[in-house]
Amino acid sequence: MTLKEKILFVLGGSLDVGGAENQLLALIPELLKSGLEVAVLCLRPPGIRGDRVKQMGVPVFAPPEFTNRGRGFVRKLAGLLGGVLAVWRCVRRERPDIAHFILPHAYLVGGLALIAAGSPRCVMSRRGMNRYLQSRPMTRWIERKLHQRMHILLGNSCQVARELVFEGAPSERVGVIYNGLADHRFEALPSCVEAREQLGLPQNALILIKVANLWPYKGHVDIIEALAGIDLPGDWRLLIVGRDEGAGSGVRQEIARRELDGHVIIVGERDDVPLLLAAADIAVCASHEEGFSNAVLEYMAAGLASVVTDVGGNREAVADAGIVVPADDVPSLRKAIITLLDSDTRAGLAARARQRARCFSMPRCAFEYEKLYRYLLSRGTLPPHLKASTLCADGSQVSNEQVGWS
């Protein structure tokens, strides 16, 4: 062990994309405060936010440009070989105490490279369900082999952890650390009236909100279909917040087909999500798959009554602070939204949501990662309190006490 333990995060893509990357960006400053040394290797160009990480004094590496050239199979092969070589070189040069793989591509490429490099302690993080393996039998086979070589395999929910065990990961090495919420963004939020004034939204409208990039599996169309069957009061709005990842045209077609132009508004990607949430009455997560939704944590932190689908860790996140419905079930989604039209019901859930959100602070999340890394380096195993076999034993929702932090 070095005097100052070094963690190398291997990330499957750019730092500019998605929830896993946002989690890493929020986690790094907390780990630095704890005295750990951190480096990041991106298997794609790091992007603008890579410069922000460098400004923290954290080295950020990426493979040579040739790995992004070519087409089709040649490009994929170049990317794979270039990624393996980049990880191998980085590990040989930086000599980290722990290599932590985030996202499937990083696990596949980094795992193969670390076997060749003479690996340090290895941790993998699965941050979503394993549906991506269904059409990739070779990737599935390689991952099962890699599971046996990892010192620790982490899910960000019990559901994800259970899938890892089902795939053959040694159960004593499978743990859970829930996502952390950068809750400082939700301190001193303006009132609903003030938020609507700033955003130019009508004061007397019922406002629903969905925060998720526009992927087909995020269920935007389900929400629109559900709302089309409800006699909603007055000049209501649904705000859809997120970057178009290919589903935007389908969502717009559904809005037009249901004649909901003016009611359903695609806001796009925004950096003022807390303000938008402060202006809303009801939040919805209608995803068909999730690992552990950062958006749901933000809904709770903003004190919103929410409807969430029963996928991944959504039920674990909200506990009794939201309404949980089956995925891809428009009638159940519609019924839940109708329930939340009652202001007293919304107020009760909102109060519980604020309390529940405190369980998932980023400082606490980082504290668990620090304990995991130091325990792994000193004892070579997973800290007992993080084991999925203990935390997720009965399959029920996880209580405030289990998440540890009420």
Side-chain angles (χ1 to χ4, degrees), residues 63-232:
E65 291 185 4
F66 77 84
T67 61
N68 296 305
R69 294 179 181 175
R71 293 183 179 179
F73 176 76
V74 173
R75 182 184 180 120
K76 289 182 180 179
L77 182 60
L80 176 63
L81 295 178
V84 169
L85 182 60
V87 176
W88 184 85
R89 284 177 170 171
C90 190
V91 169
R92 300 288 288 183
R93 181 181 64 249
E94 297 298 314
R95 298 292 180 183
D97 297 288
I98 294 174
H100 189 154
F101 308 113
I102 298 176
L103 299 177
H105 183 60
Y107 185 40
L108 180 67
V109 171
L112 293 173
L114 271 271
I115 290 172
S119 66
R121 307 279 185 180
C122 292
V123 179
M124 75 85 83
S125 280
R126 172 83 61 79
R127 308 193 68 83
M129 306 305 284
N130 67 3
R131 187 178 295 187
Y132 70 95
L133 293 174
Q134 293 176 4
S135 59
R136 297 179 174 91
M138 180 58 70
T139 300
R140 182 168 63 244
W141 182 84
I142 293 172
E143 284 204 4
R144 285 177 179 266
K145 296 297 182 183
L146 289 175
H147 290 349
Q148 307 304 315
R149 304 293 294 268
M150 294 296 108
H151 294 84
I152 294 175
L153 302 99
L154 285 179
N156 60 351
S157 71
C158 289
Q159 287 294 89
V160 172
R162 291 187 188 104
E163 285 196 343
L164 286 167
V165 173
F166 182 77
E167 292 169 18
S171 60
E172 69 277 7
R173 300 184 208 164
V174 177
V176 175
I177 297 181
Y178 290 104
N179 290 3
L181 175 71
D183 46 8
H184 65 276
R185 301 173 64 215
F186 295 88
E187 295 173 356
L189 283 180
S191 69
C192 183
V193 170
E194 292 169 335
R196 292 187 181 192
E197 284 179 355
Q198 292 183 45
L199 295 166
L201 293 170
Q203 292 292 345
N204 296 323
L206 178 77
I207 296 182
L208 302 93
I209 191 167
K210 160 79 169 176
V211 180
N213 290 337
L214 276 73
W215 296 98
Y217 70 87
K218 290 293 187 177
H220 295 86
V221 170
D222 291 355
I223 302 174
I224 295 167
E225 184 179 348
L227 292 173
I230 304 173
D231 184 16
L232 288 165

Side-chain angles (χ1 to χ4, degrees), residues 1 5-10 91 95-101 114 118-124 149-152 372-382:
M1 191 188 309
E5 296 91 342
K6 179 186 288 188
I7 315 301
L8 173 67
F9 289 103
V10 182
V91 169
R95 298 292 180 183
D97 297 288
I98 294 174
H100 189 154
F101 308 113
L114 271 271
S119 66
R121 307 279 185 180
C122 292
V123 179
M124 75 85 83
R149 304 293 294 268
M150 294 296 108
H151 294 84
I152 294 175
L372 178 142
Y373 296 142
R374 296 195 189 282
Y375 199 92
L376 175 59
L377 289 170
S378 64
R379 304 194 187 187
T381 60
L382 177 69

